[in-house]
Amino acid sequence: MRSLSLVRSALICALFCLFSCKESQEKESVTSTSTDSVPTVDTRPEEQALPVNDSVSTSDPISSIKGEFTRINAAKLTKKSYTYQCDELMKIDYYYEGKNVVKAIVDYGTVGDHYQRSEFYYKDGKLFFFYDFVEGGPACEGCDMNLEQRYYVKDDLVIRYIKNGATEKCKNCSFSQISTPYRALKAATTQDFKTAFCS
């Protein structure tokens, strides 16, 4: 009788172990099936994926220009402002990163019936972006007299021109040392604003 009780206990124990193992295996397979549908990140350093868009693409010049534009506008820069007289009182603000001018804003003020402002962006002494805004002009009823122009520049050549939000073919497609953005840059050193802007 005692041996029968021992056999019964052993049998119950074996059945319990068998069901416990089977249940554990089923839970593992369900867990692995559910994680297969969810993307997981491998944390092993030698196989870890690089983050997407972690740097500006150097093969795409527009992305590089936009990246440098954003960087300059987020940086802590030193500002120097000057006023000068042409037909009207004008103002120019230079923004320095160290000793280098990286941005210049020329406020031409209101001349006659229109207002104009230009922004020039430089990297290593070279123009890479030019923004020009003109508001007003000859009076006309119901006219929208705003003009916004954006020039994306590489090696002094315009690689994209946007006029009032639409990409168009540029009319002035290159810049030289005698063009306004470079005269503005030179005037940061010479402070001869009349030669740069009034002639």
Side-chain angles (χ1 to χ4, degrees):
M1 191 83 171
R2 190 170 185 172
S3 63
L4 185 60
S5 176
L6 282 173
V7 169
R8 190 179 292 160
S9 295
L11 186 58
I12 291 172
C13 231
L15 286 173
F16 178 75
C17 287
L18 183 64
F19 285 120
S20 295
C21 289
K22 189 172 182 182
E23 186 177 321
S24 173
Q25 287 173 352
E26 284 176 5
K27 281 183 181 174
E28 283 178 13
S29 67
V30 168
T31 303
S32 65
T33 303
S34 65
T35 56
D36 285 347
S37 62
V38 177
T40 57
V41 177
D42 190 348
T43 56
R44 291 177 289 172
E46 65 275 359
E47 294 181 16
Q48 195 169 19
L50 293 173
V52 177
N53 294 332
D54 63 338
S55 65
V56 175
S57 170
T58 54
S59 62
D60 179 7
I62 300 297
S63 292
S64 297
I65 288 168
K66 288 180 177 180
E68 184 65 7
F69 174 89
T70 302
R71 187 195 72 75
I72 286 172
N73 284 306
K76 290 185 177 180
L77 305 171
T78 305
K79 177 181 172 184
K80 292 183 182 178
S81 298
Y82 303 93
T83 56
Y84 54 96
Q85 188 81 35
C86 288
D87 291 334
E88 300 290 332
L89 186 66
M90 301 168 69
K91 180 181 177 189
I92 186 164
D93 296 322
Y94 289 105
Y95 295 84
Y96 292 83
E97 193 167 49
K99 294 181 178 181
N100 299 319
V101 174
V102 292
K103 177 179 174 182
I105 299 177
V106 181
D107 188 335
Y108 296 95
T110 302
V111 179
D113 52 5
H114 79 275
Y115 167 80
Q116 183 175 359
R117 186 183 82 247
S118 297
E119 298 181 14
F120 311 118
Y121 290 81
Y122 308 97
K123 182 175 182 181
D124 301 324
K126 297 282 282 181
L127 178 73
F128 71 86
F129 184 72
F130 171 19
Y131 172 79
D132 193 51
F133 175 77
V134 179
E135 182 178 48
C140 64
E141 199 165 321
C143 295
D144 180 14
M145 295 301 296
N146 290 345
L147 174 62
E148 274 190 312
Q149 300 178 93
R150 291 174 170 84
Y151 299 83
Y152 294 79
V153 182
K154 183 177 180 187
D155 297 327
D156 293 331
L157 298 175
V158 177
I159 57 173
R160 181 178 291 170
Y161 170 67
I162 300 175
K163 179 180 177 182
N164 290 339
T167 301
E168 293 188 8
K169 188 173 181 179
C170 57
K171 292 178 182 173
N172 176 17
C173 299
S174 65
F175 294 92
S176 68
Q177 293 300 312
I178 60 169
S179 61
T180 304
Y182 283 109
R183 291 197 322 260
L185 183 61
K186 184 179 178 183
T189 305
T190 64
Q191 296 184 10
D192 183 2
F193 303 110
K194 290 193 180 238
T195 300
F197 298 105
C198 304
S199 54

